[in-house]
Amino acid sequence: MPAVTVENPLALPRVTAPADAVARPVLAVTTAPSGFEGEGFPVRRAFAGINYRHLDPFIMMDQMGEVEYAPGEPKGTPWHPHRGFETVTYIIDGIFDHQDSNGGGGTITNGDTQWMTAGSGLLHIEAPPEHLVMSGGLFHGLQLWVNLPAKDKMMAPRYQDIRGGSVQLLTTPDGGALLRVIAGELDGHQGPGITHTPITMIHATLAPGAELTLPWREDFNGLAYVLAGRGSVGTERRPVHMGQTAVFGAGSSLTVRADEKQDSHTPDLEVVLLGGQPIREPMAHYGPFVMNTKEELMQAFEDFQKGRLGTVPAVHGMTAGGPQG
C-alpha cells in the first residue's frame, strides 16, 4: 500500500480549503468490529455503530484484509443478488475478478475500482482468480455500498471498470499528502467514477507529520476511515488509528493529520475520505437488498426466488480488459 503513487507529489495540482472555510467538528470516532464475509475472508465493518443519519447516502463499508494468504487460501464470495443500490469495490493490493448476470465483468488489481449499479437487480460474483488461489499472496481492499434514491432503485443495472491510472491525483500545498480522487469532485478536480447519488470518494496518504485541510461541500456529510497508521481528525486533533471511522459535523472544510511517528509496518497514514448528499428517504435494508419499504423488500426476495434478477451465466470467460458484453 498504496497502489497508485507518484515520485514527486509537488508536480501535482495542489488543493487546500479557503481561509474563511468553516471547520467541521468531529462528532464521533468509532472502532470497526472484525468479522468474515463470503467464503471466509476477513473484514472490518467500518460503519458499525454509526447512526444512519450521519452515513446517508452510504449504507455500509467493509475493509477487506489486509491479509497475506498462503497458497490455496484466497477466498471470495459465491453468486448472490443485489437490488436498489451501488457497490464500489476498491482494490489496494491483490487481484479480484467480477462477473454479473447483466454482462458486466473484469479483473481489478492494485488501485483499480469496480463500480456496479445493481438498480433493478442482478446476480454477481467476486473472487480471486485461480492463479492467485494457487499461489497465495497479499489481499487488501474496500467495498462500499451507496444507496440509490427511490426514483433510481429500479433503473437498469450498470458496470464501470475504473483503472487505477485514471484516478485524479492531487496534493496539499507542501506536498505532504497524496490524494486519489476515485469518484466525485474535489476543489474543481473530477474523479472518474460516475455516480447516481452525488458523492466524493478519496484515498489519501499522509506522510508522518503531514496535515491536510480540504474544502468540503456543505450539503455533503463527511466521514474519514483509517486504513492504516495513526493520526488525528478535526482542528481539535481527535486521535484516530487503523480501523476507526471519524464522523464530521457541519461545515465547509475537514482536517486530517498524520502522527509524527507511525507503526514500523505502516510508514504513512492511509485514510479514505467520503462525502455524499443525503437522500433522506425511508430505508428498508435486509441482506443484499436496499429498498424504501418492507413491501418492496418482500417483492425483491420474491423476484430473486423466481429468477427475475437474472441467471448465473453458463460461460465464465473473463479477461482483464474491462466490461465483457
Side-chain angles (χ1 to χ4, degrees), residues 62-133:
D62 283 347
Q63 180 180 8
M64 305 179 294
E66 179 174 5
V67 60
E68 183 78 40
Y69 281 121
E73 280 189 342
K75 298 175 176 67
T77 66
W79 282 95
H80 59 282
H82 284 308
R83 173 180 277 181
F85 63 101
E86 300 183 278
T87 64
V88 183
T89 306
Y90 174 54
I91 296 297
I92 299 165
D93 291 296
I95 308 173
F96 229 31
D97 283 341
H98 169 97
Q99 189 179 17
D100 65 52
S101 57
N102 192 52
T107 298
I108 54 173
T109 186
N110 308 338
D112 297 338
T113 303
Q114 288 172 338
W115 201 291
M116 187 185 77
T117 305
S120 61
L122 43 61
L123 309 178
H124 84 135
I125 187 171
E126 296 162 311
E130 188 174 346
H131 69 84
L132 182 65
V133 175

Side-chain angles (χ1 to χ4, degrees), residues 14-308:
R14 305 177 200 189
V15 295
T16 190
D20 61 351
V22 177
R24 287 177 173 249
V26 178
L27 301 181
V29 172
T30 62
T31 301
S34 297
F36 294 92
E37 187 56 76
E39 296 172 346
F41 58 77
V43 298
R44 286 187 176 90
R45 309 286 190 192
F47 296 161
I50 300 175
N51 191 302
Y52 182 65
R53 65 190 172 91
H54 298 311
L55 297 176
D56 186 10
F58 306 111
I59 301 163
M60 58 154 276
M61 186 169 73
D62 283 347
Q63 180 180 8
M64 305 179 294
E66 179 174 5
V67 60
E68 183 78 40
Y69 281 121
E73 280 189 342
K75 298 175 176 67
T77 66
W79 282 95
H80 59 282
H82 284 308
R83 173 180 277 181
F85 63 101
E86 300 183 278
T87 64
V88 183
T89 306
Y90 174 54
I91 296 297
I92 299 165
D93 291 296
I95 308 173
F96 229 31
D97 283 341
H98 169 97
Q99 189 179 17
D100 65 52
S101 57
N102 192 52
T107 298
I108 54 173
T109 186
N110 308 338
D112 297 338
T113 303
Q114 288 172 338
W115 201 291
M116 187 185 77
T117 305
S120 61
L122 43 61
L123 309 178
H124 84 135
I125 187 171
E126 296 162 311
E130 188 174 346
H131 69 84
L132 182 65
V133 175
M134 298 296 291
S135 66
L138 186 63
F139 183 82
H140 190 198
L142 283 177
Q143 186 168 95
L144 172 70
W145 288 15
V146 185
N147 203 3
L148 288 169
K151 65 182 180 61
D152 294 328
K153 289 276 188 202
M154 298 298 285
M155 68 177 292
R158 183 180 66 177
Y159 177 79
Q160 297 175 68
D161 192 29
I162 303 170
R163 295 288 129 188
S166 69
V167 302
Q168 175 70 61
L169 298 179
L170 306 168
T171 191
T172 46
D174 64 358
L178 175 63
L179 309 172
R180 304 165 192 82
V181 184
I182 297 166
E185 177 264 345
L186 179 65
D187 199 27
H189 301 277
Q190 191 73 35
I194 300 169
T195 68
H196 286 279
T197 303
I199 73 164
T200 295
M201 180 179 183
I202 298 164
H203 173 196
T205 300
L206 286 76
E211 182 174 287
L212 60 82
T213 297
L214 300 179
W216 211 251
R217 278 179 51 169
E218 292 188 67
D219 60 335
F220 276 21
N221 60 0
L223 302 161
Y225 177 73
V226 183
L227 289 165
R230 296 179 174 276
S232 60
V233 287
T235 54
E236 61 268 49
R237 293 196 175 184
R238 183 105 170 245
V240 290
H241 58 73
M242 182 181 74
Q244 291 191 314
T245 302
V247 179
F248 290 91
S252 56
S253 72
L254 56 79
T255 297
V256 179
R257 189 179 190 281
D259 284 356
E260 296 279 355
K261 184 170 178 151
Q262 297 293 329
D263 299 330
S264 59
H265 64 282
T266 304
D268 304 305
L269 173 66
E270 304 282 350
V271 61
V272 173
L273 303 172
L274 294 169
Q277 193 170 60
I279 296 173
R280 304 197 198 288
E281 293 177 351
M283 185 178 71
H285 171 204
Y286 191 84
F289 306 125
V290 183
M291 306 304 292
N292 293 100
T293 67
K294 288 184 178 178
E295 290 74 22
E296 290 170 343
L297 268 186
M298 291 171 64
Q299 185 64 53
F301 275 102
E302 180 182 327
D303 289 348
F304 168 56
Q305 289 165 352
K306 294 190 173 178
R308 297 175 188 144

